[in-house]
Amino acid sequence: MKDTKLITIVIPVYNEAENIAAIVEEIIHIHLKYKYEILFVNDGSSDMQTYQFLQEVAQKYSFVRYISFVKNFGHQLALKAGLDMAKGDCVISMDGDLQHPPSLLPAMIQKWEEGYEIVITKRINYGKVGIFKKISSYLYYKTINTLSSIPLEYGESDFRLLDKKVVDVFKKLNEIDLFLRGLTRWVGFKTTEIAFNAENRIHGKSKYSFNKMLRLAVNGIISFSSKPLYFSIYAGFICSSSSILILIYTLISLFSGHVVPGWSSTLIIISFFSGIQLIIMGIFGLYLSRIFIQSKNRPLYIIGENTYSEPNEG
Ligand code: UDP
Ligand code: MG
């Protein structure tokens, strides 16, 4: 009965023209033992070639399909669209730049056969990744683990296998600020991890600009933890207690005859407190903007073209 199962491989691509054919060929070479399909999600690539190559490869192989966003909605939402559409008994998501080695697929599928519903992969080396990315990523995982109750480990990536049951839960989620790595831990289910060596990017540059990385990082914290809001209470408390100390100091100086010369200390205090206030307002603002955006209930993404679920398909 096993061979009737279908695996959907979801690959979000943003300006990955040179990598598309290569990744399909690599997956074919693996000779997966189940029937599979590859679903590319073209995340509003700005080069025409990505689109052309997708068309070509989809014409060549009937098991390759794609959906195309009308604009760039970001990697996480591209993954979400892939999950929303996927018909497979399990879904494997991987990057389109060959940094997630297709050679790991059999091992992931084996875990699925053993009964695991989520197979998470962890990078044990980073390939040629800049020192800045390494350090920021390390610090990030430390921070997110301190702040939220979702255990995330350094090196976790969006290369994972999800059983249909898990995918069905993900389909129901309607969060605009998706952080799938956290959600994968949050949903529960029977989970296992396997390690892999990240390959170097062969073609093109990383599509995660510093801005996109920062956004993802903030989303990961904000959507899984309200602790930063408590931070403002602590900060406020510390400030008010320290201002009492300053008051005492001022009174003592006054009575002991020292005339407080004044403005440098005043400036220090003002800038200190206004800094704290700005930070607190910023934290409030981050949460508030999330509520605001989500309350509009806009679609998470807009699909322009879809060769995946055509009406004549099952
Ligand atoms: N990607 C995407 N939309 C974006 C940015 C990236 O779909 O806005 C895709 C990209 O094409 C790749 C994957 O997400 O398949 C991971 O991106 P990248 O390799 O640039 O990230 P990095 O490996 O540097 O973290
Ligand atoms: Mg990459």
Side-chain angles (χ1 to χ4, degrees), residues 95 97 99 201 206:
D95 284 357
D97 58 0
Q99 284 191 299
R201 220 176 210 283
S206 170

Side-chain angles (χ1 to χ4, degrees), residues 13 37 39 46 52 61 101 131 135 149 175 180 186 192-193 198 205-206 239 264 268 291 294 297 300 309:
V13 284
E37 55 184 13
L39 170 58
S46 52
Q52 277 164 9
Y61 301 109
I131 186 87
I135 294 176
S149 49
E175 292 177 33
L180 288 167
W186 173 83
T192 186
E193 292 169 10
K205 287 194 306 194
S206 170
C239 288
S264 51
I268 290 169
I291 300 170
Q294 191 76 46
N297 229 349
L300 301 183
S309 46

